[in-house]
PDB file of all heavy atoms in Angstrom:
ATOM      1  N   VAL A1350      87.669 102.856  64.909  1.00 95.00           N
ATOM      2  CA  VAL A1350      86.340 103.474  65.076  1.00 95.00           C
ATOM      3  C   VAL A1350      86.123 104.568  64.036  1.00 95.00           C
ATOM      4  O   VAL A1350      85.029 104.671  63.445  1.00 95.00           O
ATOM      5  CB  VAL A1350      86.179 104.027  66.511  1.00 95.00           C
ATOM      6  CG1 VAL A1350      84.972 104.923  66.635  1.00 95.00           C
ATOM      7  CG2 VAL A1350      86.075 102.875  67.501  1.00 95.00           C
ATOM      8  N   VAL A1351      87.128 105.389  63.786  1.00 95.00           N
ATOM      9  CA  VAL A1351      86.979 106.461  62.795  1.00 95.00           C
ATOM     10  C   VAL A1351      86.802 105.876  61.393  1.00 95.00           C
ATOM     11  O   VAL A1351      85.965 106.357  60.606  1.00 95.00           O
ATOM     12  CB  VAL A1351      88.188 107.429  62.858  1.00 95.00           C
ATOM     13  CG1 VAL A1351      88.221 108.349  61.651  1.00 95.00           C
ATOM     14  CG2 VAL A1351      88.140 108.236  64.140  1.00 95.00           C
ATOM     15  N   ALA A1352      87.529 104.820  61.061  1.00 96.00           N
ATOM     16  CA  ALA A1352      87.395 104.202  59.729  1.00 96.00           C
ATOM     17  C   ALA A1352      85.988 103.634  59.548  1.00 96.00           C
ATOM     18  O   ALA A1352      85.355 103.841  58.494  1.00 96.00           O
ATOM     19  CB  ALA A1352      88.439 103.106  59.555  1.00 96.00           C
ATOM     20  N   ILE A1353      85.478 102.936  60.539  1.00 95.00           N
ATOM     21  CA  ILE A1353      84.133 102.354  60.422  1.00 95.00           C
ATOM     22  C   ILE A1353      83.073 103.447  60.369  1.00 95.00           C
ATOM     23  O   ILE A1353      82.137 103.396  59.550  1.00 95.00           O
ATOM     24  CB  ILE A1353      83.872 101.375  61.586  1.00 95.00           C
ATOM     25  CG1 ILE A1353      84.763 100.145  61.448  1.00 95.00           C
ATOM     26  CG2 ILE A1353      82.399 100.970  61.648  1.00 95.00           C
ATOM     27  CD1 ILE A1353      84.703  99.200  62.629  1.00 95.00           C
ATOM     28  N   SER A1354      83.210 104.467  61.234  1.00 95.00           N
ATOM     29  CA  SER A1354      82.188 105.523  61.246  1.00 95.00           C
ATOM     30  C   SER A1354      82.228 106.362  59.964  1.00 95.00           C
ATOM     31  O   SER A1354      81.185 106.818  59.485  1.00 95.00           O
ATOM     32  CB  SER A1354      82.358 106.411  62.478  1.00 95.00           C
ATOM     33  OG  SER A1354      83.610 107.041  62.467  1.00 95.00           O
ATOM     34  N   LEU A1355      83.412 106.578  59.389  1.00 95.00           N
ATOM     35  CA  LEU A1355      83.481 107.287  58.107  1.00 95.00           C
ATOM     36  C   LEU A1355      82.855 106.462  56.980  1.00 95.00           C
ATOM     37  O   LEU A1355      82.215 107.023  56.079  1.00 95.00           O
ATOM     38  CB  LEU A1355      84.928 107.630  57.763  1.00 95.00           C
ATOM     39  CG  LEU A1355      85.537 108.811  58.519  1.00 95.00           C
ATOM     40  CD1 LEU A1355      87.002 108.976  58.156  1.00 95.00           C
ATOM     41  CD2 LEU A1355      84.761 110.077  58.247  1.00 95.00           C
ATOM     42  N   GLY A1356      83.005 105.142  57.060  1.00 95.00           N
ATOM     43  CA  GLY A1356      82.348 104.288  56.067  1.00 95.00           C
ATOM     44  C   GLY A1356      80.842 104.418  56.132  1.00 95.00           C
ATOM     45  O   GLY A1356      80.163 104.508  55.098  1.00 95.00           O
ATOM     46  N   PHE A1357      80.302 104.437  57.339  1.00 94.00           N
ATOM     47  CA  PHE A1357      78.860 104.628  57.478  1.00 94.00           C
ATOM     48  C   PHE A1357      78.443 106.031  57.057  1.00 94.00           C
ATOM     49  O   PHE A1357      77.368 106.229  56.464  1.00 94.00           O
ATOM     50  CB  PHE A1357      78.414 104.369  58.929  1.00 94.00           C
ATOM     51  CG  PHE A1357      78.198 102.919  59.246  1.00 94.00           C
ATOM     52  CD1 PHE A1357      79.156 102.189  59.934  1.00 94.00           C
ATOM     53  CD2 PHE A1357      77.037 102.269  58.857  1.00 94.00           C
ATOM     54  CE1 PHE A1357      78.962 100.854  60.233  1.00 94.00           C
ATOM     55  CE2 PHE A1357      76.830 100.943  59.146  1.00 94.00           C
ATOM     56  CZ  PHE A1357      77.805 100.227  59.830  1.00 94.00           C
ATOM     57  N   ALA A1358      79.262 107.050  57.389  1.00 94.00           N
ATOM     58  CA  ALA A1358      78.920 108.435  57.040  1.00 94.00           C
ATOM     59  C   ALA A1358      78.889 108.624  55.522  1.00 94.00           C
ATOM     60  O   ALA A1358      78.026 109.338  54.999  1.00 94.00           O
ATOM     61  CB  ALA A1358      79.920 109.398  57.672  1.00 94.00           C
ATOM     62  N   PHE A1359      79.817 108.003  54.788  1.00 94.00           N
ATOM     63  CA  PHE A1359      79.823 108.125  53.327  1.00 94.00           C
ATOM     64  C   PHE A1359      78.640 107.415  52.682  1.00 94.00           C
ATOM     65  O   PHE A1359      78.262 107.734  51.561  1.00 94.00           O
ATOM     66  CB  PHE A1359      81.133 107.597  52.742  1.00 94.00           C
ATOM     67  CG  PHE A1359      82.299 108.500  52.988  1.00 94.00           C
ATOM     68  CD1 PHE A1359      83.537 107.972  53.306  1.00 94.00           C
ATOM     69  CD2 PHE A1359      82.166 109.878  52.909  1.00 94.00           C
ATOM     70  CE1 PHE A1359      84.625 108.802  53.526  1.00 94.00           C
ATOM     71  CE2 PHE A1359      83.245 110.723  53.130  1.00 94.00           C
ATOM     72  CZ  PHE A1359      84.473 110.178  53.444  1.00 94.00           C
ATOM     73  N   ASN A1360      78.054 106.465  53.407  1.00 94.00           N
ATOM     74  CA  ASN A1360      76.874 105.766  52.892  1.00 94.00           C
ATOM     75  C   ASN A1360      75.567 106.404  53.362  1.00 94.00           C
ATOM     76  O   ASN A1360      74.495 105.830  53.199  1.00 94.00           O
ATOM     77  CB  ASN A1360      76.897 104.294  53.279  1.00 94.00           C
ATOM     78  CG  ASN A1360      77.907 103.521  52.482  1.00 94.00           C
ATOM     79  OD1 ASN A1360      78.074 103.775  51.287  1.00 94.00           O
ATOM     80  ND2 ASN A1360      78.583 102.591  53.121  1.00 94.00           N
ATOM     81  N   GLY A1361      75.652 107.594  53.964  1.00 91.00           N
ATOM     82  CA  GLY A1361      74.443 108.332  54.313  1.00 91.00           C
ATOM     83  C   GLY A1361      74.083 108.306  55.787  1.00 91.00           C
ATOM     84  O   GLY A1361      73.169 109.019  56.202  1.00 91.00           O
ATOM     85  N   ALA A1362      74.728 107.523  56.598  1.00 91.00           N
ATOM     86  CA  ALA A1362      74.402 107.471  58.029  1.00 91.00           C
ATOM     87  C   ALA A1362      75.374 108.384  58.787  1.00 91.00           C
ATOM     88  O   ALA A1362      76.199 107.948  59.583  1.00 91.00           O
ATOM     89  CB  ALA A1362      74.485 106.042  58.547  1.00 91.00           C
ATOM     90  N   TRP A1363      75.265 109.700  58.586  1.00 91.00           N
ATOM     91  CA  TRP A1363      76.210 110.646  59.164  1.00 91.00           C
ATOM     92  C   TRP A1363      76.052 110.806  60.669  1.00 91.00           C
ATOM     93  O   TRP A1363      76.959 111.299  61.343  1.00 91.00           O
ATOM     94  CB  TRP A1363      76.091 112.001  58.476  1.00 91.00           C
ATOM     95  CG  TRP A1363      74.718 112.604  58.615  1.00 91.00           C
ATOM     96  CD1 TRP A1363      73.666 112.439  57.787  1.00 91.00           C
ATOM     97  CD2 TRP A1363      74.297 113.464  59.663  1.00 91.00           C
ATOM     98  NE1 TRP A1363      72.580 113.126  58.242  1.00 91.00           N
ATOM     99  CE2 TRP A1363      72.940 113.778  59.420  1.00 91.00           C
ATOM    100  CE3 TRP A1363      74.893 113.992  60.802  1.00 91.00           C
ATOM    101  CZ2 TRP A1363      72.188 114.594  60.258  1.00 91.00           C
ATOM    102  CZ3 TRP A1363      74.151 114.807  61.634  1.00 91.00           C
ATOM    103  CH2 TRP A1363      72.818 115.101  61.363  1.00 91.00           C
ATOM    104  N   LEU A1364      74.901 110.379  61.231  1.00 92.00           N
ATOM    105  CA  LEU A1364      74.708 110.495  62.682  1.00 92.00           C
ATOM    106  C   LEU A1364      75.602 109.523  63.476  1.00 92.00           C
ATOM    107  O   LEU A1364      75.674 109.619  64.693  1.00 92.00           O
ATOM    108  CB  LEU A1364      73.245 110.247  63.049  1.00 92.00           C
ATOM    109  CG  LEU A1364      72.322 111.435  62.834  1.00 92.00           C
ATOM    110  CD1 LEU A1364      70.876 111.050  63.130  1.00 92.00           C
ATOM    111  CD2 LEU A1364      72.741 112.594  63.702  1.00 92.00           C
ATOM    112  N   VAL A1365      76.284 108.645  62.780  1.00 93.00           N
ATOM    113  CA  VAL A1365      77.209 107.735  63.469  1.00 93.00           C
ATOM    114  C   VAL A1365      78.431 108.497  63.971  1.00 93.00           C
ATOM    115  O   VAL A1365      79.004 108.162  65.011  1.00 93.00           O
ATOM    116  CB  VAL A1365      77.612 106.590  62.506  1.00 93.00           C
ATOM    117  CG1 VAL A1365      78.711 105.745  63.093  1.00 93.00           C
ATOM    118  CG2 VAL A1365      76.407 105.745  62.168  1.00 93.00           C
ATOM    119  N   LEU A1366      78.834 109.542  63.257  1.00 93.00           N
ATOM    120  CA  LEU A1366      80.062 110.279  63.606  1.00 93.00           C
ATOM    121  C   LEU A1366      80.043 110.887  65.013  1.00 93.00           C
ATOM    122  O   LEU A1366      81.016 110.724  65.761  1.00 93.00           O
ATOM    123  CB  LEU A1366      80.343 111.353  62.554  1.00 93.00           C
ATOM    124  CG  LEU A1366      80.830 110.842  61.204  1.00 93.00           C
ATOM    125  CD1 LEU A1366      80.952 111.980  60.212  1.00 93.00           C
ATOM    126  CD2 LEU A1366      82.158 110.142  61.379  1.00 93.00           C
ATOM    127  N   PRO A1367      78.970 111.601  65.423  1.00 94.00           N
ATOM    128  CA  PRO A1367      79.002 112.158  66.781  1.00 94.00           C
ATOM    129  C   PRO A1367      79.068 111.085  67.860  1.00 94.00           C
ATOM    130  O   PRO A1367      79.766 111.243  68.871  1.00 94.00           O
ATOM    131  CB  PRO A1367      77.700 112.953  66.891  1.00 94.00           C
ATOM    132  CG  PRO A1367      77.207 113.140  65.517  1.00 94.00           C
ATOM    133  CD  PRO A1367      77.794 112.052  64.682  1.00 94.00           C
ATOM    134  N   PHE A1368      78.368 109.968  67.648  1.00 95.00           N
ATOM    135  CA  PHE A1368      78.388 108.916  68.657  1.00 95.00           C
ATOM    136  C   PHE A1368      79.732 108.199  68.701  1.00 95.00           C
ATOM    137  O   PHE A1368      80.201 107.793  69.769  1.00 95.00           O
ATOM    138  CB  PHE A1368      77.244 107.924  68.413  1.00 95.00           C
ATOM    139  CG  PHE A1368      75.905 108.509  68.718  1.00 95.00           C
ATOM    140  CD1 PHE A1368      75.067 108.907  67.696  1.00 95.00           C
ATOM    141  CD2 PHE A1368      75.496 108.684  70.023  1.00 95.00           C
ATOM    142  CE1 PHE A1368      73.839 109.461  67.961  1.00 95.00           C
ATOM    143  CE2 PHE A1368      74.267 109.245  70.312  1.00 95.00           C
ATOM    144  CZ  PHE A1368      73.427 109.630  69.290  1.00 95.00           C
ATOM    145  N   ALA A1369      80.373 108.069  67.547  1.00 95.00           N
ATOM    146  CA  ALA A1369      81.719 107.493  67.525  1.00 95.00           C
ATOM    147  C   ALA A1369      82.701 108.410  68.253  1.00 95.00           C
ATOM    148  O   ALA A1369      83.555 107.955  69.027  1.00 95.00           O
ATOM    149  CB  ALA A1369      82.174 107.255  66.092  1.00 95.00           C
TER     150      ALA A1369
END
Side-chain angles (χ1 to χ4, degrees):
V1350 168
V1351 167
I1353 292 173
S1354 61
L1355 283 176
F1357 277 101
F1359 287 141
N1360 286 322
W1363 60 270
L1364 280 176
V1365 172
L1366 288 175
F1368 289 104

